[in-house]
Each structure stands twice: as C-alpha cells, then as structure tokens.
Amino acid sequence: MLFHVRMDVSLPHGMSEAEAEVLKRVEREKAQALQAEGKWRHLWRIVGQYSNVSVFDVENAEELHQLLTGLPLFPYMTIQVMPLCRHPSSIHADDR
C-alpha cells in the first residue's frame, strides 16, 4: 500500500549543535536503510524548509505508523499522511 507522507521537522532551540548532528546522522542511516528495503520509495526535500515529501510502500497503516514512530526525529516532526491508490487515467502500468 502506498502512502504520501509530509514530514516537517522542528528541532528545539535549546538543542546543542552536536546533539542535532548525531540525531540527523542516525535519522539519515535509518532513512537510507528503509529505502534500501524498498519501504521508503521516494524522498523529496521541500525547498526552503526543513521538510520532506515521501512515498512509502508498506503492507498497511499500522506498518507505516511503526516506521514513522521509530524514526529518530519523530518527536520533533509534524506529519501528514495520505493513502494513495492508482488513478484510472494514469498511463503507467506500474507505480513509478
């Protein structure tokens, strides 16, 4: 099942730069591992914001919830989720 997910990150102003860098590194490693597994299909930065738009390919909403809540930056995110399905006017036979 495909989900469109927008993630807006807001780190606390009091967080040290060193702590933020460690958190970002661990987040990057987790995101890249999920991409390698095929669960995090697309990852796009939103220009000028500490935000991204992503497409996840998971079994169901519960699996997506577990993945998102397991992200190191999750406590600092505002997340919007939209389930996706194929549009009947799409000319593509796959989910590219």
Side-chain angles (χ1 to χ4, degrees):
M1 185 170 190
L2 297 178
F3 290 90
H4 170 278
V5 179
R6 178 181 172 138
M7 294 177 250
D8 300 302
V9 180
S10 181
L11 296 177
H13 295 294
M15 182 178 283
S16 73
E17 189 173 324
E19 185 180 358
E21 288 306 314
V22 169
L23 193 57
K24 290 176 191 178
R25 178 184 50 78
V26 175
E27 177 82 11
R28 181 174 44 254
E29 291 168 357
K30 179 73 171 178
Q32 289 175 346
L34 289 169
Q35 288 173 76
E37 290 176 34
K39 294 189 180 289
W40 198 326
R41 295 268 299 269
H42 298 280
L43 174 57
W44 299 94
R45 173 170 282 151
I46 299 174
V47 176
Q49 299 177 34
Y50 193 0
S51 303
N52 73 71
V53 173
S54 298
V55 175
F56 285 83
D57 187 358
V58 294
E59 287 297 316
N60 52 42
E62 179 61 29
E63 182 181 10
L64 178 64
H65 179 77
Q66 293 301 317
L67 291 178
L68 294 176
T69 58
L71 293 174
L73 285 173
F74 177 77
Y76 311 106
M77 290 181 181
T78 300
I79 299 174
Q80 298 173 343
V81 176
M82 291 183 284
L84 301 173
C85 65
R86 175 158 308 286
H87 193 285
S89 296
S90 176
I91 63 170
H92 299 289
D94 60 12
D95 291 322
R96 341 180 225 157

